[in-house]
């Protein structure tokens, strides 16, 4: 990684002066974010992070003084061409020719691995991660929360895979419970075998809505209860109908996820853990953790003083689970089963923040049961999205969202004057539209709620996914027009203009941004990095013409744009976006 060699070079000089080992210094030296207002140095060392003792005791002026003294003791060399003191920092400017040569060589050489090979990750052990995400309920709405869970989970999985971890992607379906008794009764009344095959999600949803109108009717209730009881007893006929509901639904989910660019290694669900849930309840009982309330409900006391100030309900009074909320006992069984099956290092659940309590309880109970690995479970929660509607009204199916974003994007592309004839407008519109959805979703902290707006998401200028796709397509066509032959020994030392330097400086920071996202699993760091890269590339594109420049200059500029496009594409793919080449 280009940044690594520069950081190391700065660290080795600092280590002699400060008498500290260079590896202790490397994390304190960071690439400086590009500023529109002024020329900035390339790297800075924060004085507070290397001074002995508690930095909060140090007054700002002491730190500034220390920075000045340290800067005076350091010398420029073949790598560093300028050293200056800033507020509590020492700033380093890299030799400009070396900067251009090193960064562009590295981006070209590492390709899709640029940034992930950085030594920032050298201390991070390669791990096996299980990620559970998406997890819709069969025959119910695929609401916007499921969409968020799908794209967030996919991002975390992509990032982990890129960093060399092994990832198992699990979709944990709501595929069990009393509602299947009701659904089966509904299907016997209103169902249609052909519709079940051709559009299972929609058909089962419609049947479920219809039968729900009669759900209070005693006869319907009795039939539903009977069906579900037979299902629990593994009676062949009900089981085969339930299996059809599940299998056809999964087939259609797979097809729709494919449009999103998402896949799963395992489709699991509550149905897998019926017997095992009973075993878990028995284990809780054997360990003396299961208590019965007066009403006969099974609970686990989670309070420190054992005064039931905090507890979790694991079983209803009739010994069954009413599937109103997400159930604790199947989740306990699933966690234990996944540990036995995959022996993972970390397990991540991606759901909305209303389930935070549930997962807190889940992890606490696992710990009480003696499973120390509960500490390696993590709930990545996200906020709620308000106001996402399609032209037909409320979002019921994921496919509605995908069709809507595609048709709106097609319309925008048709009315834009810049749109050239493209080979597959439908597919391009879908990819650009998805980029718009993902960037709008990932711009803030995942935990924050936001108001969805089609108009804002699909704008072609500003900080949007459409802008990123447009920039990528433009840079791609620039390469097609001028640079199809493999550029070999290009002299990039001539890239000295401020707009070229800004792009190079920004490319230097990519590994730090990846590192931040890998630490807190927030995509926003990568999103804002890519948006800035897009804007810097757009400025460079305006001010550094390839056409009409001398061959040497044209080749050097092409190399710069090629590097910007390559990193842009890498980052977009991590976020779950497929970069388009024409638009």
């Amino acid at each position: 990684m280009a940044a690594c060699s520069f950081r190391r070079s700065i660290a080795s000089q600092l280590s002699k002066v400060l008498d500290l080992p260079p590896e202790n210094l490397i994390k304190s030296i960071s690439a400086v974010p590009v500023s529109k207002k002024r020329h900035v140095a390339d790297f800075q060392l924060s004085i507070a992070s290397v001074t002995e003792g508690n930095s909060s005791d140090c007054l700002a002026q002491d730190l500034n003084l220390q920075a000045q003294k340290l800067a005076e003791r350091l010398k420029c060399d073949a790598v560093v061409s300028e050293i200056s003191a800033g507020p509590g920092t020492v700033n380093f400017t890299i030799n400009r020719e070396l900067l251009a040569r090193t960064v562009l060589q590295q981006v070209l050489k590492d390709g899709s691995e640029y940034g992930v090979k950085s030594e920032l990750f050298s201390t991070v052990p390669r791990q096996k991660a299980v990620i559970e995400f998406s997890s819709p309920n069969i025959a119910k709405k695929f609401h916007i929360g499921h969409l968020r869970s799908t794209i967030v989970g996919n991002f975390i999985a992509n990032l982990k895979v890129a960093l060399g971890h092994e990832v198992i992607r699990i979709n944990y379906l709501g595929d069990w419970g009393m509602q299947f008794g009701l659904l089966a009764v509904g299907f016997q009344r209103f169902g249609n075998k052909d519709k079940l095959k051709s559009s299972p999600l929609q058909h089962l949803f419609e049947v479920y809505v219809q039968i729900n109108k009669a759900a209070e009717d005693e006869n319907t209730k009795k039939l539903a209860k009977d069906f579900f009881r037979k299902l629990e007893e593994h009676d062949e006929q009900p089981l085969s109908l339930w299996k059809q509901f599940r299998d056809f639904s999964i087939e259609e989910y797979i097809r729709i996820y494919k449009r999103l660019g998402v896949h799963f290694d395992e489709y699991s669900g509550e149905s897998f853990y019926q017997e095992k849930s009973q075993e878990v309840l028995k284990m809780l009982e054997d360990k003396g953790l299961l208590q019965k309330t007066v009403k006969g409900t099974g609970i686990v006391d989670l309070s420190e003083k054992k005064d039931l100030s905090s507890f979790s309900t694991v079983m209803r009074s009739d010994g069954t689970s009413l599937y109103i909320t997400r159930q604790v006992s199947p989740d306990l069984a699933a966690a234990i089963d996944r540990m036995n099956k995959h022996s993972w290092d970390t397990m991540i659940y991606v759901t909305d923040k209303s389930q935070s309590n549930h997962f807190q309880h889940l992890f606490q109970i696992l710990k009480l049961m003696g499973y120390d690995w509960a500490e390696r479970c993590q709930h990545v929660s996200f906020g709620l999205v308000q106001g996402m509607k399609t032209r037909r009204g409320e979002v019921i199916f994921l496919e509605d969202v995908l069709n809507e974003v595609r048709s709106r994007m097609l319309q925008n592309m048709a009315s834009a004057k810049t749109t050239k004839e493209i080979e597959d407008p439908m597919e391009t519109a879908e990819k650009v539209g998805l980029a718009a959805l993902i960037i709008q979703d990932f711009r803030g902290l995942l935990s924050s709620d936001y108001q969805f707006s089609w108009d804002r998401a699909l704008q072609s200028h500003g900080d949007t996914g459409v802008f990123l796709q447009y920039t990528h397509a433009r840079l791609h066509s620039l390469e097609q027009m001028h640079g199809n032959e493999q550029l070999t020994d290009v002299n990039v030392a001539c890239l000295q203009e401020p707009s070229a330097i800004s792009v190079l400086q920004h490319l230097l920071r990519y590994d730090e941004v990846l590192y931040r996202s890998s630490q807190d699993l927030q995509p926003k760091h990568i999103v804002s990095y890519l948006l800035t890269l897009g804007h810097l590339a757009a400025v460079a594109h305006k001010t550094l013409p390839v056409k009409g420049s001398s061959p040497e200059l044209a080749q050097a500029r092409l190399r710069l744009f090629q590097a910007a496009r390559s990193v842009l594409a890498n980052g977009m793919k991590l976020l779950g976006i497929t970069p388009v080449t024409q638009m």
Side-chain angles (χ1 to χ4, degrees):
M1 182 73 195
C4 295
S5 63
F6 294 143
R7 268 192 223 105
R8 213 172 302 137
S9 176
I10 295 169
S12 77
Q13 196 191 156
L14 280 166
S15 97
K16 291 178 194 124
V17 174
L18 292 168
D19 199 24
L20 288 167
E23 34 298 346
N24 295 16
L25 295 164
I26 282 180
K27 286 248 165 89
S28 307
I29 301 166
S30 55
V32 181
V34 175
S35 155
K36 281 188 187 139
K37 320 239 179 343
R38 58 198 166 79
H39 151 77
V40 292
D42 303 313
F43 287 95
Q44 61 182 201
L45 168 80
S46 133
I47 291 287
S49 66
V50 293
T51 45
E52 295 298 308
N54 190 346
S55 55
S56 61
D57 302 342
C58 289
L59 296 166
Q61 61 221 42
D62 294 347
L63 289 175
N64 294 353
L65 195 64
Q66 282 183 342
Q68 262 165 337
K69 281 190 183 154
L70 179 56
E72 283 158 16
R73 293 172 63 195
L74 296 166
K75 295 182 181 61
C76 295
D77 52 22
V79 176
V80 177
S81 62
E82 203 181 308
I83 299 171
S84 64
T89 60
V90 178
N91 302 321
F92 302 87
T93 301
I94 302 294
N95 168 322
R96 287 294 165 242
E97 291 186 14
L98 186 66
L99 177 73
R101 231 184 14 253
T102 314
V103 172
L104 297 181
Q105 233 169 353
Q106 191 89 46
V107 174
L108 214 70
K109 185 175 126 242
D110 287 352
S112 64
E113 292 191 320
Y114 178 73
V116 300
K117 283 180 152 178
S118 164
E119 67 182 25
L120 292 180
F121 296 105
S122 61
T123 54
V124 180
R126 300 278 173 268
Q127 292 189 321
K128 189 180 210 179
V130 166
I131 306 176
E132 179 196 296
F133 62 106
S134 195
S135 308
N137 298 307
I138 289 176
K140 293 193 179 167
K141 285 192 301 220
F142 190 107
H143 57 75
I144 185 68
H146 293 122
L147 175 61
R148 269 203 108 170
S149 171
T150 307
I151 59 179
V152 173
N154 187 48
F155 157 69
I156 295 172
N158 290 346
L159 183 60
K160 293 227 175 246
V161 168
L163 295 174
H165 303 291
E166 186 187 341
V167 171
I168 292 149
R169 304 165 186 242
I170 296 183
N171 198 338
Y172 183 75
L173 300 172
D175 62 359
W176 198 251
M178 198 44 120
Q179 77 256 28
F180 281 91
L182 201 55
L183 185 63
V185 175
F187 192 75
Q188 282 149 3
R189 273 183 217 172
F190 314 110
N192 173 317
K193 281 261 159 48
D194 295 336
K195 277 188 184 164
L196 178 64
K197 274 196 183 118
S198 60
S199 49
L201 301 179
Q202 198 173 346
H203 186 54
L204 289 176
F205 177 74
E206 284 164 0
V207 165
Y208 193 59
V209 169
Q210 272 181 296
I211 192 65
N212 252 315
K213 292 174 187 153
E216 288 312 301
D217 161 60
E218 285 308 315
N219 186 33
T220 305
K221 263 190 193 163
K222 187 183 165 315
L223 288 169
K225 229 174 174 161
D226 288 349
F227 183 91
F228 188 56
R229 198 193 63 246
K230 286 181 185 159
L231 195 53
E232 290 197 298
E233 291 162 1
H234 296 253
D235 196 323
E236 211 161 294
Q237 231 173 339
L239 209 56
S240 116
L241 184 61
W242 168 83
K243 208 170 147 13
Q244 281 182 44
F245 291 166
R246 190 180 190 277
D247 293 350
F248 285 135
S249 295
I250 289 177
E251 255 171 57
E252 190 167 5
Y253 278 134
I254 289 172
R255 182 180 64 75
I256 299 163
Y257 285 133
K258 203 169 174 180
R259 281 178 68 179
L260 264 178
V262 172
H263 70 277
F264 291 92
D265 302 302
E266 229 174 83
Y267 280 85
S268 151
E270 291 167 353
S271 62
F272 281 57
Y273 297 107
Q274 290 325 297
E275 280 84 5
K276 289 195 168 117
S277 289
Q278 296 308 311
E279 289 165 29
V280 165
L281 292 173
K282 178 128 180 38
M283 280 162 79
L284 287 170
E285 205 165 357
D286 294 345
K287 287 181 191 285
L289 295 167
L290 188 67
Q291 301 184 22
K292 290 273 171 70
T293 63
V294 186
K295 290 183 181 153
T297 315
I299 59 170
V300 175
D301 187 354
L302 299 173
S303 61
E304 275 183 31
K305 295 182 180 160
K306 297 291 167 234
D307 56 4
L308 289 178
S309 54
S310 160
F311 65 87
S312 173
T313 304
V314 290
M315 186 180 82
R316 307 281 156 175
S317 52
D318 58 359
T320 67
S321 301
L322 281 175
Y323 285 76
I324 300 161
T325 53
R326 184 158 175 158
Q327 294 302 299
V328 181
S329 44
D331 262 343
L332 289 167
I336 296 165
D337 179 55
R338 287 170 193 170
M339 190 44 153
N340 294 338
K341 194 163 148 195
H342 299 298
S343 52
W344 43 263
D345 299 297
T346 172
M347 176 152 64
I348 298 170
Y349 297 84
V350 185
T351 72
D352 71 67
K353 59 187 179 190
S354 70
Q355 298 196 17
S356 296
N357 245 355
H358 168 82
F359 285 105
Q360 227 175 334
H361 287 178
L362 178 68
F363 304 157
Q364 277 177 294
I365 295 173
L366 285 166
K367 249 184 116 167
L368 288 172
M369 291 173 79
Y371 295 114
D372 295 340
W373 47 255
E375 289 175 4
R376 291 183 271 137
C377 294
Q378 188 182 357
H379 177 217
V380 173
S381 63
F382 51 81
L384 307 173
V385 184
Q386 273 102 18
M388 184 190 253
K389 286 191 163 43
T390 65
R391 292 200 174 100
R392 303 221 309 260
E394 180 197 17
V395 172
I396 295 177
F397 305 109
L398 174 57
E399 196 149 25
D400 295 342
V401 182
L402 298 182
N403 293 343
E404 180 86 8
V405 69
R406 183 172 65 190
S407 73
R408 282 179 186 256
M409 205 54 233
L410 270 172
Q411 220 172 349
N412 291 4
M413 281 160 54
S415 59
K417 298 171 185 63
T418 50
T419 307
K420 304 177 190 65
E421 280 301 304
I422 50 181
E423 283 148 34
D424 191 345
M426 288 281 271
E427 189 159 329
T428 300
E430 178 134 301
K431 285 174 182 160
V432 175
L434 266 175
L437 284 184
I438 290 172
I439 295 297
Q440 169 148 302
D441 198 274
F442 285 178
R443 276 187 62 192
L445 268 172
L446 292 178
S447 56
S448 49
D449 304 340
Y450 73 92
Q451 194 67 34
F452 181 83
S453 148
W454 285 109
D455 293 340
R456 200 176 59 235
L458 297 174
Q459 272 170 3
S460 53
H461 300 293
D463 291 342
T464 65
V466 181
F467 164 71
L468 283 186
Q469 287 284 31
Y470 178 65
T471 307
H472 183 273
R474 251 173 94 184
L475 293 173
H476 184 269
S477 67
L478 187 70
E479 275 174 56
Q480 296 307 92
M481 261 164 21
H482 300 283
N484 261 347
E485 70 277 12
Q486 271 302 309
L487 316 173
T488 39
D489 28 328
V490 179
N491 179 16
V492 292
C494 55
L495 294 170
Q496 298 298 318
E497 298 84 355
S499 59
I501 298 285
S502 289
V503 172
L504 293 166
Q505 286 178 318
H506 196 59
L507 293 175
L508 264 186
R509 279 190 62 225
Y510 188 54
D511 65 341
E512 290 179 27
V513 173
L514 291 181
Y515 184 74
R516 267 191 85 177
S517 275
S518 75
Q519 291 297 296
D520 64 8
L521 301 182
Q522 294 284 341
K524 74 180 184 114
H525 313 304
I526 296 174
V527 170
S528 74
Y529 176 88
L530 295 178
L531 290 166
T532 302
L533 179 57
H535 293 304
L536 293 173
V539 173
H541 190 258
K542 265 199 205 94
T543 52
L544 309 174
V546 173
K547 202 173 164 184
S549 303
S550 70
E552 186 177 62
L553 197 54
Q555 292 288 10
R557 286 173 178 176
L558 261 182
R559 177 61 61 88
L560 178 75
F561 292 126
Q562 201 178 1
R565 186 196 64 77
S566 169
V567 174
L568 189 62
N570 293 347
M572 287 164 80
K573 287 175 191 161
L574 284 180
L575 297 173
I577 296 169
T578 307
V580 299
T581 52
Q582 10 166 239
M583 204 175 138

